[in-house]
Coordinates of all heavy atoms in Angstrom, one line a residue:
M267 N 31.0 17.4 18.8 CA 29.6 17.3 19.0 C 28.9 17.1 17.7 O 28.7 18.2 16.9 CB 29.0 18.4 19.7 CG 27.5 18.5 19.9 SD 26.7 19.9 20.7 CE 27.7 19.9 22.2
P268 N 28.6 16.0 17.1 CA 27.9 15.9 15.8 C 26.6 16.7 15.8 O 25.8 16.6 16.7 CB 27.7 14.4 15.6 CG 28.6 13.8 16.5 CD 28.8 14.6 17.7
S269 N 26.4 17.4 14.8 CA 25.1 18.0 14.5 C 24.6 17.2 13.3 O 25.3 16.9 12.4 CB 25.3 19.4 14.0 OG 25.9 20.2 15.0
I270 N 23.2 17.1 13.4 CA 22.5 16.2 12.3 C 21.5 17.1 11.8 O 20.6 17.7 12.5 CB 21.9 14.9 12.9 CG1 23.0 14.1 13.6 CG2 21.2 14.2 11.8 CD1 22.4 12.8 14.2
E271 N 21.4 17.2 10.5 CA 20.4 17.8 9.7 C 19.6 16.8 9.0 O 20.2 16.0 8.2 CB 20.8 18.9 8.7 CG 19.8 19.4 7.9 CD 20.3 20.3 6.7 OE1 21.5 20.8 6.8 OE2 19.6 20.5 5.8
F272 N 18.2 16.7 9.3 CA 17.4 15.8 8.5 C 16.7 16.7 7.5 O 16.0 17.8 7.8 CB 16.3 15.2 9.4 CG 16.9 14.4 10.3 CD1 17.2 14.9 11.7 CD2 17.1 13.0 10.2 CE1 17.7 14.0 12.7 CE2 17.7 12.2 11.2 CZ 18.0 12.7 12.4
E273 N 17.0 16.4 6.1 CA 16.3 17.4 5.1 C 14.9 17.3 5.2 O 14.2 16.3 5.5 CB 16.9 16.9 3.7 CG 18.3 17.3 3.5 CD 18.6 17.2 2.0 OE1 17.9 16.6 1.3 OE2 19.6 17.9 1.7
A274 N 14.3 18.5 4.7 CA 12.9 18.5 4.7 C 12.4 17.5 3.5 O 13.0 17.3 2.6 CB 12.4 20.0 4.2
V275 N 11.2 17.0 3.8 CA 10.6 16.0 2.8 C 9.2 16.4 2.7 O 8.4 16.4 3.6 CB 10.7 14.5 3.3 CG1 10.0 13.7 2.4 CG2 12.2 14.2 3.5
G276 N 8.7 16.7 1.4 CA 7.3 17.1 1.2 C 6.9 18.3 2.1 O 7.6 19.3 2.1
L277 N 5.9 18.1 2.8 CA 5.4 19.2 3.7 C 6.1 19.2 5.0 O 5.8 20.1 5.9 CB 3.8 19.0 3.9 CG 3.1 19.0 2.6 CD1 1.5 18.8 2.9 CD2 3.1 20.5 2.0
L278 N 6.9 18.2 5.3 CA 7.6 18.2 6.6 C 8.9 19.0 6.6 O 9.8 18.8 5.7 CB 8.0 16.7 6.9 CG 6.7 15.8 7.0 CD1 7.1 14.3 7.3 CD2 5.9 16.2 8.2
S279 N 9.1 19.9 7.5 CA 10.2 20.8 7.5 C 11.6 20.1 7.9 O 11.4 19.0 8.5 CB 10.0 22.0 8.4 OG 9.8 21.5 9.8
E280 N 12.6 20.6 7.7 CA 13.9 20.1 8.1 C 13.9 20.1 9.6 O 13.3 20.9 10.4 CB 15.1 20.8 7.5 CG 15.3 22.3 8.0 CD 16.4 23.0 7.5 OE1 16.9 22.6 6.4 OE2 16.8 24.0 8.0
K281 N 14.7 19.2 10.1 CA 15.0 19.0 11.6 C 16.4 19.0 11.9 O 17.2 18.6 11.1 CB 14.2 17.8 12.1 CG 12.9 17.6 11.8 CD 12.0 18.5 12.6 CE 10.5 18.3 12.3 NZ 9.6 18.9 13.2
W282 N 16.7 19.4 13.1 CA 18.1 19.6 13.6 C 18.3 18.8 14.9 O 17.4 18.9 15.7 CB 18.6 21.0 13.8 CG 18.8 21.6 12.4 CD1 17.9 22.3 11.7 CD2 19.9 21.8 11.6 NE1 18.4 22.9 10.6 CE2 19.7 22.5 10.5 CE3 21.3 21.2 11.8 CZ2 20.7 22.9 9.6 CZ3 22.2 21.6 10.8 CH2 22.0 22.4 9.7
A283 N 19.4 18.2 15.2 CA 19.7 17.6 16.4 C 21.1 17.8 16.7 O 22.1 17.8 15.8 CB 19.3 16.0 16.4
E284 N 21.5 17.8 17.9 CA 22.9 17.7 18.5 C 23.0 16.5 19.2 O 22.2 16.1 20.1 CB 23.1 18.9 19.5 CG 23.0 20.4 18.8 CD 24.0 20.6 17.8 OE1 25.1 20.1 17.9 OE2 23.8 21.6 17.0
V285 N 24.0 15.7 19.0 CA 24.2 14.3 19.6 C 25.6 14.3 20.2 O 26.5 13.7 19.7 CB 24.0 13.2 18.5 CG1 24.0 12.0 19.1 CG2 22.8 13.6 17.6
P286 N 25.8 15.0 21.3 CA 27.1 15.1 21.9 C 27.7 13.6 22.3 O 29.0 13.5 22.1 CB 26.9 16.0 23.1 CG 25.5 15.9 23.4 CD 24.7 15.7 22.1
E287 N 26.9 12.8 22.7 CA 27.5 11.5 23.1 C 27.3 10.5 22.0 O 27.6 9.2 22.2 CB 26.7 10.9 24.4 CG 26.6 11.9 25.4 CD 28.0 12.2 26.1 OE1 28.9 11.3 26.0 OE2 28.3 13.3 26.6
G288 N 26.9 10.8 20.8 CA 26.5 9.9 19.8 C 25.4 9.0 20.1 O 24.6 9.4 21.0
G289 N 25.2 7.8 19.7 CA 24.0 7.0 20.0 C 23.3 6.5 18.8 O 23.7 6.7 17.7
D290 N 22.1 5.9 19.0 CA 21.2 5.3 18.1 C 20.5 6.4 17.3 O 19.9 7.2 17.9 CB 20.2 4.3 18.7 CG 20.9 3.0 19.2 OD1 22.1 2.7 18.7 OD2 20.4 2.4 20.2
L291 N 20.7 6.3 15.9 CA 20.1 7.2 15.1 C 18.5 7.2 15.3 O 17.8 8.3 15.2 CB 20.4 7.2 13.6 CG 20.0 8.2 12.8 CD1 20.4 9.5 13.1 CD2 20.2 7.8 11.3
V292 N 17.9 6.1 15.5 CA 16.5 6.0 15.6 C 15.9 6.7 16.8 O 14.9 7.4 16.7 CB 16.0 4.4 15.7 CG1 16.7 3.8 17.0 CG2 14.7 4.3 15.6
D293 N 16.7 6.8 17.9 CA 16.3 7.6 19.1 C 16.3 9.1 18.7 O 15.4 9.8 19.1 CB 17.2 7.3 20.2 CG 17.1 5.9 20.7 OD1 16.0 5.3 20.5 OD2 18.0 5.4 21.3
V294 N 17.3 9.6 18.0 CA 17.4 10.9 17.5 C 16.2 11.2 16.6 O 15.6 12.3 16.8 CB 18.7 11.2 16.8 CG1 18.8 12.7 16.4 CG2 19.9 10.8 17.7
C295 N 15.9 10.4 15.7 CA 14.8 10.6 14.7 C 13.5 10.7 15.6 O 12.6 11.6 15.3 CB 14.6 9.4 13.8 SG 15.9 9.3 12.6
D296 N 13.3 9.9 16.6 CA 12.0 9.9 17.5 C 12.0 11.2 18.2 O 11.0 11.9 18.2 CB 12.1 8.7 18.3 CG 11.6 7.5 17.7 OD1 11.2 7.5 16.5 OD2 11.9 6.4 18.3
Q297 N 13.2 11.7 18.6 CA 13.2 12.9 19.6 C 12.9 14.1 18.8 O 12.2 15.0 19.3 CB 14.6 13.0 20.2 CG 14.9 12.0 21.3 CD 16.3 12.0 21.7 OE1 17.2 12.7 21.2 NE2 16.6 11.1 22.6
V298 N 13.3 14.2 17.5 CA 13.1 15.5 16.8 C 12.0 15.3 15.8 O 11.7 16.3 15.0 CB 14.4 16.0 16.1 CG1 15.5 16.2 17.1 CG2 14.8 15.0 14.9
L299 N 11.3 14.2 15.8 CA 10.3 13.9 14.8 C 10.7 14.2 13.3 O 10.1 14.8 12.5 CB 9.1 14.8 15.0 CG 8.4 14.6 16.4 CD1 7.2 15.6 16.7 CD2 8.0 13.2 16.7
A300 N 11.9 13.5 13.1 CA 12.5 13.6 11.8 C 11.7 13.0 10.6 O 10.8 12.1 11.0 CB 13.9 13.0 11.8
A301 N 11.7 13.4 9.4 CA 10.9 12.9 8.4 C 11.6 11.6 7.8 O 11.8 11.5 6.6 CB 10.7 13.9 7.2
I302 N 11.7 10.7 8.6 CA 12.3 9.4 8.3 C 11.2 8.4 8.7 O 10.8 8.2 9.8 CB 13.5 9.1 9.0 CG1 14.7 10.1 9.0 CG2 14.3 7.7 8.6 CD1 15.2 10.3 7.6
P303 N 10.8 7.6 7.7 CA 9.7 6.7 8.0 C 10.3 5.3 8.6 O 11.4 4.9 8.3 CB 9.2 6.2 6.7 CG 10.2 6.5 5.6 CD 11.0 7.6 6.2
F304 N 9.6 4.8 9.6 CA 10.0 3.4 10.2 C 8.9 2.4 10.2 O 7.7 2.8 10.2 CB 10.4 3.7 11.7 CG 11.7 4.4 11.8 CD1 11.7 5.8 12.1 CD2 13.0 3.8 11.8 CE1 12.8 6.7 12.2 CE2 14.1 4.6 12.0 CZ 14.1 5.9 12.3
S305 N 9.2 1.2 10.2 CA 8.2 0.2 10.3 C 8.7 -0.9 11.3 O 8.5 -0.9 12.5 CB 7.9 -0.4 9.0 OG 6.9 -1.4 9.2
C306 N 9.6 -1.9 10.8 CA 10.0 -3.1 11.7 C 10.9 -2.7 12.8 O 11.0 -3.2 13.8 CB 10.6 -4.1 10.8 SG 12.3 -3.7 10.1
R307 N 11.8 -1.7 12.5 CA 12.9 -1.1 13.4 C 13.9 -2.3 13.7 O 14.5 -2.4 14.8 CB 12.4 -0.5 14.8 CG 11.6 0.7 14.4 CD 11.0 1.4 15.6 NE 10.3 2.5 15.2 CZ 10.5 3.8 15.7 NH1 11.5 4.0 16.6 NH2 9.9 4.8 15.3
S308 N 14.0 -3.4 12.9 CA 14.9 -4.5 13.1 C 15.6 -4.9 11.9 O 15.9 -6.1 11.8 CB 14.1 -5.6 13.8 OG 13.1 -5.9 12.8
A309 N 16.0 -4.1 11.0 CA 16.8 -4.4 9.8 C 16.1 -5.5 8.9 O 16.7 -6.3 8.3 CB 18.1 -4.8 10.2
S310 N 14.8 -5.5 8.9 CA 14.0 -6.4 8.0 C 13.3 -5.8 6.8 O 13.2 -6.4 5.9 CB 13.0 -7.2 8.8 OG 13.5 -7.9 9.9
C311 N 12.8 -4.6 6.9 CA 11.9 -4.1 5.8 C 12.4 -3.1 4.9 O 12.0 -2.9 3.8 CB 10.6 -3.5 6.5 SG 10.8 -2.0 7.4
G312 N 13.4 -2.3 5.3 CA 14.0 -1.2 4.5 C 13.2 0.0 4.5 O 13.6 0.9 3.8
T313 N 12.2 0.1 5.2 CA 11.4 1.4 5.2 C 12.2 2.6 5.6 O 12.1 3.7 5.1 CB 10.2 1.2 6.2 OG1 9.4 0.2 5.9 CG2 9.4 2.5 6.2
C314 N 13.1 2.4 6.4 CA 14.0 3.6 7.0 C 15.3 3.7 6.2 O 16.2 4.3 6.7 CB 14.3 3.1 8.4 SG 15.5 1.9 8.6
H315 N 15.4 3.3 5.0 CA 16.6 3.5 4.2 C 16.9 4.9 3.9 O 16.1 5.7 3.5 CB 16.3 2.8 2.8 CG 17.5 2.5 2.0 ND1 17.5 2.2 0.7 CD2 18.9 2.4 2.3 CE1 18.6 2.0 0.2 NE2 19.5 2.1 1.3
I316 N 18.1 5.3 4.3 CA 18.4 6.8 4.2 C 19.8 6.9 3.5 O 20.6 5.9 3.3 CB 18.6 7.4 5.7 CG1 19.6 6.6 6.5 CG2 17.2 7.6 6.4 CD1 20.0 7.2 7.7
E317 N 20.0 8.1 2.9 CA 21.2 8.4 2.3 C 22.0 9.4 3.2 O 21.3 10.5 3.6 CB 20.9 9.0 0.9 CG 22.2 9.4 0.2 CD 21.9 9.9 -1.3 OE1 20.7 10.0 -1.7 OE2 22.9 10.0 -2.0
I318 N 23.2 9.1 3.5 CA 23.9 10.1 4.3 C 24.7 11.0 3.3 O 25.7 10.6 2.5 CB 25.1 9.3 5.1 CG1 24.4 8.2 5.9 CG2 25.8 10.3 6.1 CD1 23.3 8.6 6.9
L319 N 24.2 12.2 3.2 CA 24.7 13.2 2.2 C 26.0 13.8 2.7 O 26.8 14.2 1.8 CB 23.8 14.3 1.9 CG 22.3 13.7 1.3 CD1 21.3 14.8 1.4 CD2 22.4 13.2 0.0
E320 N 26.3 14.0 3.9 CA 27.5 14.4 4.5 C 27.6 13.7 5.9 O 26.7 13.4 6.6 CB 27.4 15.9 4.8 CG 27.3 16.8 3.6 CD 27.4 18.2 3.9 OE1 28.4 18.7 4.6 OE2 26.4 19.0 3.5
G321 N 28.9 13.3 6.2 CA 29.3 12.8 7.5 C 29.1 11.3 7.6 O 29.0 10.9 8.7
A322 N 29.2 10.6 6.5 CA 29.0 9.2 6.6 C 30.1 8.6 7.5 O 29.8 7.5 8.2 CB 29.2 8.4 5.3
D323 N 31.3 9.2 7.6 CA 32.3 8.7 8.6 C 32.0 8.9 10.0 O 32.8 8.4 10.9 CB 33.6 9.2 8.1 CG 33.7 10.8 8.2 OD1 32.6 11.4 7.9 OD2 34.7 11.4 8.5
L324 N 30.9 9.7 10.3 CA 30.6 9.8 11.7 C 29.7 8.8 12.3 O 29.1 8.9 13.3 CB 30.0 11.3 11.8 CG 30.9 12.4 11.4 CD1 30.2 13.7 11.4 CD2 32.3 12.4 12.2
F325 N 29.5 7.7 11.5 CA 28.6 6.5 12.0 C 29.6 5.4 12.1 O 30.5 5.2 11.5 CB 27.7 6.2 10.9 CG 26.6 7.1 10.8 CD1 26.6 8.2 9.9 CD2 25.3 6.9 11.4 CE1 25.5 9.2 9.8 CE2 24.3 7.8 11.3 CZ 24.4 8.9 10.5
E326 N 29.1 4.6 13.2 CA 29.8 3.2 13.4 C 29.7 2.4 12.1 O 28.5 2.7 11.4 CB 29.1 2.5 14.6 CG 29.3 3.2 15.8 CD 30.8 3.2 16.4 OE1 31.6 2.5 15.9 OE2 31.0 4.1 17.4
P327 N 30.4 1.4 11.8 CA 30.1 0.6 10.6 C 28.9 -0.2 10.9 O 28.4 -0.5 11.9 CB 31.4 -0.4 10.6 CG 32.4 0.3 11.4 CD 31.7 1.1 12.4
P328 N 28.3 -0.6 9.7 CA 26.9 -1.4 9.8 C 27.2 -2.8 10.4 O 28.2 -3.3 10.1 CB 26.4 -1.4 8.3 CG 27.6 -1.1 7.5 CD 28.5 -0.3 8.2
S329 N 26.2 -3.3 11.1 CA 26.2 -4.6 11.7 C 26.0 -5.5 10.5 O 25.6 -5.1 9.3 CB 25.1 -4.7 12.6 OG 23.8 -4.8 12.0
E330 N 26.3 -6.8 10.7 CA 26.1 -7.8 9.6 C 24.6 -7.8 9.1 O 24.4 -7.8 7.8 CB 26.4 -9.1 10.0 CG 26.4 -10.3 8.9 CD 26.9 -11.7 9.5 OE1 27.7 -11.7 10.4 OE2 26.6 -12.6 8.9
A331 N 23.6 -7.6 9.9 CA 22.2 -7.6 9.5 C 22.0 -6.4 8.7 O 21.3 -6.4 7.7 CB 21.3 -7.7 10.8
E332 N 22.4 -5.3 9.1 CA 22.2 -4.1 8.4 C 22.9 -4.2 6.9 O 22.3 -3.8 5.9 CB 22.7 -2.8 9.1 CG 22.5 -1.6 8.3 CD 23.0 -0.3 9.0 OE1 23.6 -0.3 10.1 OE2 22.8 0.8 8.4
A333 N 24.1 -4.6 7.0 CA 24.9 -4.7 5.8 C 24.3 -5.7 4.8 O 24.1 -5.4 3.6 CB 26.3 -5.2 6.0
D334 N 23.6 -6.8 5.3 CA 23.0 -7.7 4.3 C 21.8 -7.0 3.7 O 21.5 -7.2 2.5 CB 22.4 -8.9 5.2 CG 23.6 -9.8 5.5 OD1 24.8 -9.7 5.0 OD2 23.4 -10.7 6.4
L335 N 20.9 -6.3 4.5 CA 19.7 -5.6 3.9 C 20.2 -4.5 2.9 O 19.6 -4.4 1.9 CB 18.7 -5.1 5.0 CG 17.4 -4.6 4.5 CD1 16.8 -5.5 3.6 CD2 16.6 -4.2 5.7
L336 N 21.2 -3.8 3.3 CA 21.6 -2.8 2.4 C 22.0 -3.3 1.1 O 21.8 -2.8 0.1 CB 22.8 -1.9 3.0 CG 22.4 -1.0 4.2 CD1 23.6 -0.5 5.0 CD2 21.5 0.1 3.7
D337 N 22.7 -4.4 1.2 CA 23.1 -5.1 -0.2 C 21.9 -5.4 -1.1 O 21.8 -5.2 -2.3 CB 23.7 -6.5 0.0 CG 25.3 -6.2 0.5 OD1 25.8 -5.0 0.3 OD2 25.9 -7.3 1.0
L338 N 20.9 -5.9 -0.4 CA 19.6 -6.2 -1.1 C 18.9 -4.9 -1.6 O 18.3 -5.0 -2.8 CB 18.6 -6.9 -0.2 CG 18.9 -8.4 0.2 CD1 18.0 -9.0 1.3 CD2 18.9 -9.3 -1.0
L339 N 18.9 -3.9 -0.9 CA 18.3 -2.7 -1.4 C 19.0 -2.0 -2.5 O 18.4 -1.2 -3.2 CB 18.2 -1.8 -0.1 CG 17.3 -2.2 1.0 CD1 17.3 -1.3 2.2 CD2 15.7 -2.3 0.5
D340 N 20.3 -2.2 -2.6 CA 21.1 -1.6 -3.7 C 21.0 -0.1 -3.8 O 20.6 0.4 -4.9 CB 20.7 -2.4 -4.9 CG 21.8 -2.1 -6.1 OD1 22.9 -1.8 -5.7 OD2 21.4 -2.2 -7.2
G341 N 21.0 0.5 -2.7 CA 20.9 1.9 -2.7 C 22.0 2.7 -3.1 O 23.1 2.2 -3.6
P342 N 22.0 4.0 -2.9 CA 23.1 4.9 -3.4 C 24.3 4.7 -2.3 O 24.1 4.1 -1.3 CB 22.5 6.3 -3.1 CG 21.4 6.1 -2.2 CD 20.9 4.9 -2.4
P343 N 25.5 5.2 -2.7 CA 26.7 5.1 -1.8 C 26.2 5.8 -0.5 O 25.5 6.8 -0.5 CB 27.8 5.8 -2.6 CG 27.4 5.9 -4.0 CD 25.8 5.9 -4.0
N344 N 26.8 5.3 0.5 CA 26.7 6.0 1.9 C 25.1 5.8 2.3 O 24.6 6.7 3.1 CB 27.0 7.4 1.9 CG 28.5 7.5 1.7 OD1 29.3 6.6 2.1 ND2 29.0 8.6 1.1
S345 N 24.4 4.8 1.8 CA 23.1 4.5 2.3 C 23.1 3.7 3.6 O 24.0 2.9 3.8 CB 22.1 4.1 1.3 OG 22.4 2.7 1.0
R346 N 22.2 4.0 4.5 CA 22.3 3.2 5.9 C 20.8 2.9 6.1 O 19.8 3.4 5.5 CB 22.8 4.0 6.9 CG 24.2 4.3 6.8 CD 25.2 3.1 6.8 NE 25.0 2.4 8.2 CZ 25.8 2.4 9.1 NH1 26.9 3.4 9.0 NH2 25.7 1.8 10.3
L347 N 20.5 2.2 7.2 CA 19.2 2.0 7.8 C 19.1 2.8 9.1 O 19.9 2.6 10.0 CB 19.0 0.5 8.2 CG 19.0 -0.4 7.0 CD1 18.9 -1.9 7.5 CD2 18.0 -0.2 5.9
A348 N 18.1 3.8 9.0 CA 18.1 4.7 10.3 C 17.7 3.9 11.5 O 18.1 4.3 12.6 CB 17.0 5.7 10.0
C349 N 17.1 2.7 11.4 CA 16.8 2.0 12.6 C 18.1 1.2 13.2 O 17.9 0.7 14.3 CB 15.7 1.0 12.3 SG 16.1 -0.5 11.3
Q350 N 19.1 1.2 12.5 CA 20.3 0.4 13.0 C 21.5 1.4 13.1 O 22.4 0.9 13.8 CB 20.6 -0.7 11.8 CG 19.4 -1.7 11.6 CD 19.2 -2.4 12.8 OE1 20.0 -3.1 13.4 NE2 17.9 -2.4 13.3
A351 N 21.6 2.4 12.4 CA 22.8 3.2 12.4 C 23.1 3.9 13.8 O 22.2 4.3 14.4 CB 22.7 4.3 11.3
R352 N 24.4 3.8 14.1 CA 24.8 4.4 15.5 C 25.8 5.6 15.1 O 26.8 5.3 14.3 CB 25.5 3.4 16.3 CG 24.6 2.6 17.0 CD 25.3 1.8 18.2 NE 25.9 2.7 19.1 CZ 25.4 3.1 20.2 NH1 24.1 3.1 20.5 NH2 26.0 3.8 20.9
V353 N 25.5 6.8 15.6 CA 26.4 7.9 15.5 C 27.5 7.9 16.5 O 27.2 7.5 17.7 CB 25.6 9.2 15.7 CG1 26.4 10.4 15.5 CG2 24.3 9.3 14.7
K354 N 28.8 8.2 16.0 CA 29.9 8.2 16.9 C 29.9 9.5 17.7 O 29.3 10.4 17.3 CB 31.1 8.2 16.1 CG 31.5 6.9 15.3 CD 32.7 7.1 14.5 CE 33.0 6.0 13.5 NZ 34.2 6.3 12.7
A355 N 30.4 9.4 18.8 CA 30.6 10.6 19.7 C 31.7 11.4 19.0 O 32.6 10.9 18.3 CB 31.1 10.3 21.1
G356 N 31.6 12.8 19.2 CA 32.8 13.6 18.5 C 32.2 14.7 17.7 O 31.0 14.7 17.4
P357 N 33.1 15.6 17.2 CA 32.6 16.7 16.4 C 32.2 16.2 14.9 O 32.7 15.3 14.6 CB 33.8 17.5 16.4 CG 35.0 16.7 16.5 CD 34.6 15.6 17.4
G358 N 31.5 17.1 14.4 CA 31.2 16.9 12.9 C 29.7 17.3 12.5 O 29.0 17.8 13.3
F359 N 29.5 17.1 11.2 CA 28.1 17.5 10.7 C 27.6 16.4 9.8 O 28.4 15.7 9.0 CB 28.4 18.8 9.9 CG 27.0 19.2 9.1 CD1 25.9 19.6 9.9 CD2 27.0 19.1 7.7 CE1 24.8 20.0 9.3 CE2 25.8 19.4 7.2 CZ 24.6 19.8 7.9
I360 N 26.4 16.0 10.0 CA 25.8 14.9 9.4 C 24.5 15.5 8.7 O 23.7 16.2 9.2 CB 25.3 13.8 10.2 CG1 26.6 13.0 10.9 CG2 24.5 12.7 9.5 CD1 26.3 12.2 12.0
R361 N 24.3 15.1 7.4 CA 23.1 15.5 6.7 C 22.5 14.3 6.1 O 23.2 13.5 5.4 CB 23.5 16.5 5.6 CG 22.2 17.1 5.0 CD 22.6 18.5 4.2 NE 23.6 18.3 3.3 CZ 23.3 18.1 1.9 NH1 22.1 18.2 1.5 NH2 24.3 18.0 1.1
I362 N 21.1 14.2 6.3 CA 20.5 12.9 5.9 C 19.2 13.1 5.2 O 18.5 14.2 5.5 CB 20.1 12.1 7.2 CG1 21.3 11.7 8.0 CG2 19.1 11.0 7.1 CD1 21.0 11.1 9.4
R363 N 18.8 12.3 4.2 CA 17.6 12.3 3.6 C 17.1 10.8 3.4 O 18.0 9.9 3.3 CB 17.5 13.0 2.3 CG 18.3 12.2 1.2 CD 18.4 13.1 -0.1 NE 17.1 13.3 -0.8 CZ 16.6 12.5 -1.6 NH1 17.1 11.4 -2.0 NH2 15.4 12.7 -2.1
P364 N 15.9 10.6 3.4 CA 15.3 9.3 3.1 C 15.6 9.0 1.6 O 15.5 9.8 0.7 CB 13.8 9.3 3.2 CG 13.6 10.7 4.0 CD 14.7 11.5 3.8
V365 N 16.0 7.7 1.2 CA 16.4 7.4 -0.1 C 15.1 7.5 -1.1 O 15.3 8.0 -2.2 CB 16.8 5.9 -0.1 CG1 16.9 5.3 -1.5 CG2 18.2 5.8 0.6
N366 N 13.9 7.3 -0.6 CA 12.8 7.4 -1.5 C 12.1 8.7 -1.4 O 11.0 8.6 -1.9 CB 11.9 6.2 -1.3 CG 12.6 4.9 -1.5 OD1 13.3 4.8 -2.6 ND2 12.5 3.9 -0.8
A367 N 12.7 9.7 -0.8 CA 12.0 11.0 -0.7 C 12.0 11.7 -2.0 O 12.9 11.6 -2.8 CB 12.8 11.9 0.4
P368 N 11.0 12.4 -2.3 CA 11.0 13.2 -3.6 C 12.2 14.2 -3.6 O 12.5 14.8 -2.5 CB 9.6 13.9 -3.6 CG 9.2 13.9 -2.2 CD 9.9 12.8 -1.5
L369 N 12.8 14.5 -4.7 CA 13.9 15.4 -4.8 C 13.3 16.8 -4.7 O 12.2 17.1 -5.2 CB 14.7 15.3 -6.2 CG 15.4 14.0 -6.4 CD1 16.0 14.0 -7.7 CD2 16.5 13.9 -5.3
R370 N 13.9 17.7 -4.1 CA 13.5 19.1 -3.9 C 14.0 20.0 -5.0 O 15.0 19.8 -5.6 CB 13.9 19.7 -2.5 CG 13.4 18.9 -1.5 CD 13.8 19.4 -0.1 NE 13.6 20.8 0.1 CZ 12.6 21.3 0.7 NH1 11.6 20.7 1.1 NH2 12.5 22.7 0.6
Ligands
LIG718 S1 12.4 0.1 10.0 FE1 12.6 -1.7 8.9 S2 14.6 -1.9 8.3 FE2 14.5 0.0 9.5

């Protein structure tokens, strides 16, 4: 059962989620009110660019559309788009922060 930690950002506290069946990360973000910004939700704008600090292998590989935008964004290793990333089912721990969040 993957556990997901969304790091605290600014005044927003950290959030936790359990994702026993895996699924779309955007839905998890919406359910726990994670501090991940969204705009287009369709791999067009890059607003939801995140860094996977732990557990990158617990995600399905990026789609072609996500991979194309990630190439343009030129982010850190293990960066993804929160609106596109899918969590695999199974055990593990995932830790996430927005790429453009201030360092704590
Ligand atoms: S919200 Fe625009 S790329 Fe994810």
Side-chain angles (χ1 to χ4, degrees):
M267 169 184 311
S269 300
I270 304 177
E271 176 191 339
F272 297 93
E273 287 202 334
V275 175
L277 298 175
L278 300 172
S279 62
E280 69 182 14
K281 303 287 181 167
W282 289 87
E284 301 289 338
V285 189
E287 307 295 330
D290 292 333
L291 184 62
V292 65
D293 294 336
V294 180
C295 292
D296 287 346
Q297 288 168 2
V298 301
L299 302 176
I302 307 292
F304 290 96
S305 185
C306 72
R307 296 181 180 236
S308 60
S310 297
C311 71
T313 301
C314 67
H315 196 196
I316 55 171
E317 182 175 7
I318 312 300
L319 301 169
E320 292 184 56
D323 58 326
L324 300 175
F325 286 86
E326 300 288 348
S329 67
E330 187 175 332
E332 181 182 1
D334 287 348
L335 185 51
L336 288 171
D337 282 348
L338 290 173
L339 294 171
D340 195 25
N344 295 328
S345 68
R346 297 294 301 263
L347 299 177
C349 72
Q350 302 297 304
R352 280 191 59 83
V353 179
K354 296 176 185 173
F359 175 70
I360 295 168
R361 192 160 57 96
I362 294 171
R363 69 183 297 271
V365 167
N366 295 317
L369 295 175
R370 295 178 51 96

